[in-house]
Amino acid sequence: MMRDDGDGLMGELNDVDPDAWVWSADVDYVSGWRMARESADRLNSALRAAGLDLSTVQAVANTDAGGRGVVRLKATLRAADQLADLLTEVMAHRQRGTR
C-alpha cells in the first residue's frame, strides 16, 4: 500500500517500523536525531552540488525505535534513477582510474 507524505514523495507503509510509532520516555531520541540531522545536511549539500533538485530527492533525519540516528533518502522515481546513474558514473570513473 502506498501513502502520500504530503510533499509529493511516496513511501511504502511497510517501510514504517511499528515499534517506532511509540516513543519511550527512557530513550534519548533528540540526540540521535541531531546526529542524523548533521549527516542529512551533509548529504543534501552533496546532492545539491551534484546538480540534483532537493524538491525531488532529499535526505531526511530520523531516529529508530532505540533512539539511534537514521537518515532516510526520499526520492521521486526519476530522481532515484538520476542518482543511480550518477553513482554508476562515479564508480566507473574510479575503476578506470585504478587500472
Side-chain angles (χ1 to χ4, degrees):
M1 173 186 278
M2 298 296 287
R3 66 178 164 79
D4 186 349
D5 291 321
D7 58 5
L9 302 176
M10 304 294 280
E12 285 284 338
L13 283 177
N14 294 335
D15 292 342
V16 179
D17 180 4
D19 292 332
W21 293 358
V22 179
W23 284 23
S24 171
D26 300 329
V27 176
D28 180 10
Y29 296 100
V30 174
S31 178
W33 181 85
R34 281 186 184 136
M35 292 189 322
R37 178 63 189 218
E38 290 174 13
S39 294
D41 287 346
R42 288 186 61 220
L43 183 53
N44 283 327
S45 292
L47 292 168
R48 215 174 5 262
L52 296 170
D53 182 354
L54 292 186
S55 69
T56 62
V57 60
Q58 185 178 34
V60 179
N62 206 335
T63 60
D64 65 10
R68 291 174 295 273
V70 175
V71 175
R72 301 186 191 285
L73 188 64
K74 294 174 32 171
T76 62
L77 295 176
R78 183 167 188 243
D81 288 341
Q82 289 174 325
L83 181 56
D85 291 344
L86 180 62
L87 292 172
T88 300
E89 286 179 34
V90 168
M91 292 309 299
H93 179 72
R94 282 188 180 178
Q95 290 174 350
R96 284 191 304 266
T98 60
R99 292 182 186 185

